[in-house]
Amino acid sequence: MQLWVDLMRPGGFDVASIWLIFLAADGELSPVIVPIDNIAAEPDEEFVQGLSTNIRAILENAPVSSVAVLLARPGSAALTQSDRRWARSLDHSVAAPNGGWPVHLATHGNVRIIAPDDLLQ
């Protein structure tokens, strides 16, 4: 979680984004961090499936074995319904099939795991 905190500016994130970090089998971080800025307010299944396809290609062709996902946005730390929809979509299509790391949420000065119970609401 500290890596996600280190990515934040003092005021948090300026735009809604998805951040990806890739990890080797031994847990070592890849030097490449991928931010995808200005994501839509609601998840688009075509976008998420395309992202998943690209991640699978990277995992098959690069010396990495998993990906961790951060959903970041400006605003309060309260988990919104939109956050839940994004997290469900990312968890189902991107995170769980590609390493099983939980999706994290970063807001103004706050980073948290979006727990499985959060996805049920």
Side-chain angles (χ1 to χ4, degrees):
M1 186 161 351
Q2 187 60 44
L3 175 64
W4 297 132
V5 171
D6 292 343
L7 288 173
M8 283 194 303
R9 294 186 196 110
F13 291 89
D14 296 333
V15 297
S17 307
I18 294 170
W19 291 69
L20 307 172
I21 57 172
F22 293 89
L23 297 97
D26 65 1
E28 186 169 331
L29 294 174
S30 163
V32 177
I33 298 173
V34 180
I36 303 167
D37 289 338
N38 297 309
I39 61 169
E42 294 294 330
D44 174 283
E45 287 307 311
E46 186 176 332
F47 168 81
V48 174
Q49 288 305 317
L51 181 61
S52 181
T53 298
N54 286 320
I55 288 169
R56 279 194 306 275
I58 291 167
L59 294 175
E60 291 170 5
N61 295 296
V64 293
S65 63
S66 64
V67 64
V69 180
L70 175 74
L71 176 62
R73 62 166 173 75
S76 87
L79 190 64
T80 68
Q81 289 303 319
S82 176
D83 295 335
R84 285 186 175 90
R85 287 186 287 274
W86 264 112
R88 275 193 293 270
S89 184
L90 291 167
D91 184 66
H92 175 74
S93 298
V94 177
N98 296 303
W101 297 99
V103 175
H104 285 71
L105 173 67
T107 56
H108 181 76
N110 185 54
V111 176
R112 64 172 284 188
I113 292 173
I114 301 178
D117 288 350
D118 294 325
L119 301 178
L120 299 174
Q121 300 175 16

